[in-house]
Amino acid sequence: MTDIDVVIVNYRSAPHTVNCVRTAHQIARHDGIKVKVIVVNNGDEDKAFEQTILEAGDVTFVDNAANSGFGAASNQGAALGAADVILFLNPDATLAPGVLKTCHKVFTDPATADIGIVGPTIIDGDGKVVRSCSRTPTLTDLLLRSVGAHTVFKGTGYPFLSLADHAESRDVGQVMGAALFIRRSLFTALDGFDERFFLYYEDVDLCTRAQSLASRCYYLKIAQVMHIGRASSSQDTGLALALHIRSRLIYTGIHFGRGAQILLAATTVLLELPTRLAQAVIGRGAVGLRGVCKAYRILLTNSFPEAISRLASRTSHKGIV
C-alpha cells in the first residue's frame, strides 16, 4: 500500500521535474516510504519530456493539452492516487533525506491526529532557511501588502513569519505550497484546491479553509526541502504580477466578502499602481516598469486567457505553472 502520493505539476520546467521525480524515488527508498509519483504536464510541448520523465522513475503521467492552472492540475493529480497522505511538490523542489518519513509519522501518530497540513523547512540552494510559513492574513494585512507596507513593517507575521519563528516546529496559519503535505481525508473534505486560483494564494486558501474544519496547519522544523523558487514564474514577470494581484482579490472576496474585495480593488488601482510605478522608475521595484504596465493592462482588461495563451506559444522551457 502506498504511504504518500507525490503530485508534481510541470509547466515548462522539464529539467527540474525530471530531477524532482528522480530525487523523490531516491528519498522514498532511503526513508522506507512507499510513494506513488504523479506528474501532471500542464501543456508543456517538449516532445521528449514524457519519455525522459518515465526514465527517471515509476511515474503516473498525465499530459494536458493546455495549462489549466496549478490548483486544477494538482486536483487532477491527487485524484489519481489513493494514499492517506498527499504531498504537493513544486518541480524545482528537492527532498532531503528523512523528510518523507518524518512528515508521514505526523499523520500516523494518534497524538497529532488533529494536524491536517504539514509544511517542512524550506532551504535555498545555499542551505539557508527560507521564510515559508505565515499567520492567516487579515483584511488589513492584504490592504497593507497591496501598497508594499509589509516590506517596511517586517516581523508582523504576514506574509511570512520571522526567521526566529522558523527556529522550531509550531502551529502556523499557512505553509508554502512548494512542499505541502496534507491528509487525503482533509483534502477530500475541502474539495481540493479552489480552481478559481490559477496561480498564487491557492495554498493560503487551502490552509485557511482547513482551519475552519478545526484542522491544524503545522510547520515541521526537522524536515527539509530545498527549493530554488520562481523557476516557473520568472519567464513573464508582468503576467506573474497580474496573476498574484488577481488571486489576492479572489481570496479577499471569498473570505472577507464583496465589500472588502471592492475596497482592495480600489486600493490596488489607486495606491498600489502608482507606488509600483514609482518604485520601477527609480529601480527599487521587484518588477520593472514594463512588467508593471503589462500587469495592470491584463488586470484592467481581464485578458488573462490571451496572456497565458501567448506565453504558452513561446519556445522557452520556463513559464507560469
Side-chain angles (χ1 to χ4, degrees):
M1 180 178 178
T2 303
D3 298 309
I4 301 175
D5 290 323
V6 182
V7 178
I8 304 166
V9 177
N10 173 76
Y11 185 78
R12 304 198 173 212
S13 300
H16 291 296
T17 304
V18 171
N19 179 68
C20 187
V21 169
R22 185 179 295 115
T23 305
H25 281 295
Q26 291 172 348
I27 299 304
R29 289 192 293 269
H30 176 277
D31 288 5
I33 294 292
K34 294 181 180 179
V35 298
K36 178 177 182 178
V37 179
I38 303 161
V39 173
V40 181
N41 182 32
N42 232 359
D44 193 328
E45 297 179 357
D46 184 347
K47 301 302 181 183
F49 175 60
E50 181 174 358
Q51 182 58 40
T52 304
I53 202 72
L54 293 175
E55 292 171 356
D58 187 20
V59 172
T60 297
F61 185 82
V62 181
D63 194 13
N64 289 337
N67 185 356
S68 58
F70 177 80
S74 294
N75 289 342
Q76 186 180 5
L80 298 176
D84 291 339
V85 179
I86 308 170
L87 166 59
F88 294 102
L89 190 63
N90 274 18
D92 55 351
T94 303
L95 300 176
V99 63
L100 295 176
K101 182 178 181 179
T102 303
C103 290
H104 186 260
K105 184 178 179 181
V106 174
F107 294 110
T108 57
D109 188 343
T112 51
D114 57 345
I115 292 179
I117 295 176
V118 171
T121 296
I122 305 293
I123 59 173
D124 63 18
D126 296 323
K128 297 179 180 179
V129 174
V130 176
R131 296 191 298 162
S132 61
C133 49
S134 166
R135 59 179 173 80
T136 303
T138 64
L139 176 58
T140 299
D141 289 327
L142 297 168
L143 289 167
L144 290 175
R145 184 171 190 183
S146 72
V147 294
H150 65 289
T151 63
V152 178
F153 303 103
K154 298 180 180 180
T156 63
Y158 179 80
F160 294 111
L161 296 173
S162 68
L163 282 176
D165 289 325
H166 285 72
E168 60 183 12
S169 300
R170 61 191 302 137
D171 286 322
V172 295
Q174 65 142 127
V175 300
M176 185 183 289
L180 186 151
F181 291 82
I182 186 171
R183 293 184 191 273
R184 179 174 290 277
S185 58
L186 174 61
F187 191 72
T188 300
L190 295 171
D191 291 326
F193 286 107
D194 189 326
E195 296 182 9
R196 285 174 288 184
F197 298 95
F198 186 89
L199 184 66
Y200 304 120
Y201 277 86
E202 67 284 319
D203 49 357
V204 187
D205 172 74
L206 188 76
C207 292
T208 301
R209 290 188 290 124
Q211 292 174 82
S212 72
L213 297 181
S215 186
R216 293 163 61 196
C217 185
Y218 197 73
Y219 166 68
L220 190 59
K221 172 64 178 177
I222 60 174
Q224 285 192 347
V225 171
M226 186 181 77
H227 183 226
I228 296 173
R230 300 189 67 81
S232 295
S233 60
S234 58
Q235 174 69 19
D236 191 324
T237 56
L239 177 55
L241 175 58
L243 287 168
H244 191 277
I245 294 173
R246 177 177 181 266
S247 291
R248 190 200 309 153
L249 289 166
I250 291 172
Y251 179 90
T252 300
I254 292 172
H255 295 283
F256 299 106
R258 181 63 174 164
Q261 187 180 51
I262 292 172
L263 174 61
L264 181 60
T267 303
T268 298
V269 174
L270 299 177
L271 295 179
E272 181 173 0
L273 174 56
T275 299
R276 285 189 178 276
L277 288 173
Q279 290 174 334
V281 168
I282 64 175
R284 298 287 297 274
V287 179
L289 183 61
R290 182 176 298 179
V292 173
C293 293
K294 178 177 181 178
Y296 278 83
R297 183 172 65 251
I298 293 171
L299 281 165
L300 294 174
T301 60
N302 196 27
S303 57
F304 288 94
E306 294 84 352
I308 293 167
S309 178
R310 286 196 298 270
L311 179 64
S313 67
R314 297 175 183 174
T315 57
S316 170
H317 293 299
K318 291 182 181 179
I320 302 297
V321 171

